[in-house]
Amino acid sequence: MESFIKIAYFLTIILFIFGLKRMSSPATARSGIVWAGVAMLVAVMATFFWPGLQNIALILVATITGGAAAWVSGKKVEMTDMPQMVAIYNGMGGGSAAGIAAVELLRGDIHSSGILTLSVVGGLIGALAFSGSMVAFAKLQGIIGGRPITFPKQQLINVILFVLAVISGIGLVVGDGGATMITIFFLLVLAFGIGVTLPIGGADMPVVISLFNALTGMAVGFEGFAMDNAAMIVAGTVVGAAGTLLTQMMAKAMNRSITQVLFGAFGQEEEGGAADGIEGSLKPIEGDDAAIMMGYASKIIIVSGYGMAVAQAQHKVREMADLLQEKGVEVKYAIHPVAGRMPGHMNVLLAEAGVPYEQLFDLEEINAEFSTADVALVIGANDVVNPRAKTERSSPIYGMPVLDVENAKNVLVIKRGKGTGFAGIENELFYRDQTRMLYGDAQAVVSDLIQQIKQI
Amino acid sequence: MMEGVWAALFIFTLAAFTGYEVIAKVPVILHTPLMSGSNFIHGIVLVGAMVACGHADTLMEQILGFIAVFLGAMNAVGGYVVTERMLLMFERKKPGGA
């Protein structure tokens, strides 16, 4: 019986690795997840035959209810809300690893201090990823604001929490444990996870989620070592390594370092919302004027952001672009690496609306072209077109690569209201002389523009 | 014991390299789906949670085991559903390349 499970796990790991490999190329990506899904099913089925497994009814109920809850929420969620769903499911995995550690520690039948250490470390990382991911979810979902939440002595408090958590973890390894000690340990780690994520701004969230993803992978790997479970060891470690690399690549795409992301908000408690030093005013424009401006342009670059996605305006945007192209206008889409909420998110959304890949351009490819564009149409994007990221050292987004929209002859901005972007900072671009504002829901505004363009 | 530690170390190192190699040189557009995909893969924590829950004796252990399995199942199933939905987008618009 045991060797049957080992063979199943072996198969699972091989399928996981091939699945992951296939997922890293657009052409084979879809089949990759299916392979990995089959592998998971094999592993779970095999585990039901684990020798001496009790509480089978309990396991079945937990698997079915948990799986059903995730299935329903995962199917229902809008494409725009995907990033926070990744965060929440990732947090669940971390919580699960921490739960395993808690059960093992409570049982107290691990006698090797080496294995005990692995279990405690896995529990620590898992619980950290759990509470951190929950905060990330709450920020992206808008339950708590996307802005960095800072308060005095925050860094000191986090350090103290971490040190106390490590000390109680050591206590669990050398001491004789006990429910109280285990509870204190996990509470400290959970608090640390919250404390460390709160000050991170919304714009940096993708990197943080990716980091927590890698951490959960490591936690799973550690618990795998503690439980002598090869599938968990290999899958967890593979994700830990892959996730770390992915985190670095994402951070690089945003021109941020991991340390900047994690500790960037500390020590700068200035209110980013103030429009200090910005001259000029916000100048609204009517739909018909905007339509004429676009209809007679020879080149338009569309910069779409999260606001477009929220308004589900991507289909209307494509319709408008088609219309403009019929009139002989050259239309290109500029895709910021983190447009939407995550790298690649906007590509997915525009692909969904049927925009051809050939019209999508990366930041590096398109930035030089803004100076030759008659109109840059910014739809629900804010922080990624903020010129201050290039000039203002004190700005929270300083150093993040931005689209050089201000080089276009005219800038049209479709915006829901006068509020700030996700990073919570004012955008100088909107006050420039060549900029005109179209206020309203992106879908409604673009529908109106389509009607107006048809009339010219 | 010693042998076990060394074997574990070998497995760990090789798995880490594998993870690194598999992800290297991925186009930016796949960053999010891939993160989601690797999120699904660590859903394998579910099998560990099943074993932990399956060996739970006291009520407290059973409660914690239940939670671990519940959360693990959410990770695995949710990770799969979300990743598949994202990757479906690529399937349709594949011609032309990225």
Side-chain angles (χ1 to χ4, degrees):
Chain A
M1 210 51 134
E2 273 234 59
S3 57
F4 153 71
I5 295 176
K6 287 218 169 85
I7 293 168
Y9 282 0
F10 188 68
L11 199 72
T12 300
I13 289 164
I14 294 192
L15 281 174
F16 270 169
I17 292 172
F18 273 108
L20 206 53
K21 181 76 200 162
R22 292 181 80 80
M23 267 186 257
S24 56
S25 156
T28 55
R30 173 76 204 295
S31 66
I33 184 68
V34 176
W35 285 31
V38 170
M40 185 74 78
L41 210 59
V42 168
V44 171
M45 289 304 172
T47 308
F48 275 108
F49 296 97
W50 194 276
L53 199 76
Q54 308 154 18
N55 305 323
I56 297 212
L58 198 66
I59 295 173
L60 269 175
V61 171
T63 311
I64 292 169
T65 49
W71 181 272
V72 171
S73 57
K75 283 277 182 202
K76 240 185 17 201
V77 66
E78 292 292 340
M79 225 42 211
T80 44
D81 293 337
M82 284 296 176
Q84 54 263 49
M85 295 318 278
V86 174
I88 201 162
Y89 297 138
N90 173 52
M92 299 290 146
S96 183
I100 293 172
V103 173
E104 298 292 315
L105 290 171
L106 261 184
R107 290 176 62 80
D109 53 5
I110 303 174
H111 298 297
S112 147
S113 59
I115 292 180
L116 206 52
T117 308
L118 287 172
S119 184
V120 169
V121 172
L124 187 148
I125 301 174
L128 169 66
F130 173 72
S131 64
S133 296
M134 291 305 122
V135 175
F137 169 79
K139 283 201 176 210
L140 288 174
Q141 191 71 16
I143 298 169
I144 52 175
R147 278 197 195 188
I149 297 171
T150 53
F151 47 84
K153 300 270 186 290
Q154 190 169 23
Q155 200 156 11
L156 183 68
I157 292 170
N158 281 343
V159 169
I160 291 173
L161 277 174
F162 182 69
V163 170
L164 288 178
V166 169
I167 290 173
S168 60
I170 294 171
L172 283 177
V173 175
V174 296
D176 42 7
T180 323
M181 194 66 174
I182 296 170
T183 313
I184 292 173
F185 168 70
F186 279 111
L187 286 180
L188 282 168
V189 179
L190 291 173
F192 174 67
I194 296 170
V196 93
T197 320
L198 276 180
I200 300 171
D204 284 331
M205 250 339 125
V207 179
V208 174
I209 295 174
S210 177
L211 183 66
F212 285 141
N213 185 42
L215 284 178
T216 305
M218 280 160 70
V220 172
F222 278 119
E223 291 310 322
F225 278 117
M227 302 184 78
D228 198 20
N229 185 320
M232 282 169 73
I233 296 176
V234 177
T237 310
V238 165
V239 172
T244 307
L245 179 61
L246 203 54
T247 310
Q248 283 171 346
M249 290 181 354
M250 277 192 188
K252 214 172 133 200
M254 297 169 73
N255 197 24
R256 303 275 276 168
S257 73
I258 311 271
T259 30
Q260 266 178 331
V261 169
L262 288 179
F263 305 111
F266 288 117
Q268 43 161 8
E269 291 174 20
E270 100 284 0
E271 275 300 298
D276 51 306
I278 293 179
E279 287 173 13
S281 58
L282 295 165
K283 296 166 282 291
I285 187 172
E286 292 302 319
D288 46 356
D289 291 332
I292 289 169
M293 193 191 271
M294 289 196 290
Y296 292 101
S298 57
K299 183 173 176 181
I300 293 181
I301 298 177
I302 298 176
V303 180
S304 48
Y306 187 67
M308 181 208 75
V310 169
Q312 294 291 314
Q314 56 267 40
H315 296 271
K316 286 284 173 199
V317 170
R318 201 210 73 221
E319 199 184 325
M320 182 180 74
D322 290 347
L323 199 62
L324 287 166
Q325 278 162 336
E326 278 167 33
K327 289 187 180 292
V329 182
E330 186 187 359
V331 179
K332 288 183 173 179
Y333 294 83
I335 309 280
H336 189 272
V338 292
R341 279 290 183 270
M342 289 195 166
H345 194 197
M346 190 53 66
N347 303 66
V348 172
L349 293 170
L350 289 174
E352 187 193 9
V355 174
Y357 268 134
E358 305 82 65
Q359 293 177 15
L360 306 183
F361 294 90
D362 286 343
L363 180 121
E364 292 87 23
E365 296 172 320
I366 197 93
N367 249 355
E369 289 199 36
F370 278 105
S371 51
T372 62
D374 300 297
V375 179
L377 177 64
V378 178
I379 309 173
N382 194 338
D383 299 328
V384 298
V385 294
N386 194 337
R388 283 205 150 189
K390 288 179 282 192
T391 55
E392 201 71 40
R393 282 194 162 273
S394 65
S395 172
I397 58 167
Y398 178 74
M400 181 173 95
V402 289
L403 292 161
D404 297 332
V405 173
E406 72 274 14
N407 292 343
K409 282 190 204 85
N410 296 287
V411 179
L412 286 173
V413 179
I414 299 178
K415 204 165 171 303
R416 205 169 27 174
K418 290 180 182 166
T420 54
F422 203 51
I425 47 177
E426 202 61 51
N427 194 339
E428 189 189 332
L429 173 77
F430 302 158
Y431 295 85
R432 296 264 172 121
D433 287 339
Q434 83 266 42
T435 307
R436 294 291 178 274
M437 310 295 290
L438 280 157
Y439 290 112
D441 173 78
Q443 188 164 340
V445 172
V446 176
S447 304
D448 179 49
L449 284 175
I450 291 172
Q451 294 312 317
Q452 304 280 3
I453 292 168
K454 276 182 183 160
Q455 285 166 24
I456 30 178
Chain B
M1 186 60 212
M2 204 52 203
E3 228 169 63
V5 171
W6 278 108
L9 205 62
F10 275 115
I11 297 176
F12 178 79
T13 313
L14 290 174
F17 271 111
T18 309
Y20 202 87
E21 279 305 314
V22 163
I23 300 286
K25 295 182 201 136
V26 168
V28 172
I29 57 161
L30 278 174
H31 280 183
T32 301
L34 208 55
M35 174 163 94
S36 181
S38 57
N39 177 35
F40 163 68
I41 285 184
H42 66 53
I44 192 71
V45 72
L46 173 59
V47 303
M50 286 169 70
V51 174
C53 184
H55 292 150
D57 296 318
T58 66
L59 179 67
M60 196 58 212
E61 287 168 24
Q62 284 173 342
I63 293 173
L64 285 168
F66 181 87
I67 294 173
V69 175
F70 182 86
L71 294 179
M74 280 199 79
N75 182 181
V77 175
Y80 182 86
V81 171
V82 167
T83 309
E84 208 208 2
R85 280 187 58 190
M86 276 189 211
L87 292 177
L88 266 177
M89 307 282 147
F90 288 95
E91 183 133 288
R92 216 152 34 95
K93 295 302 298 177
K94 191 173 52 193

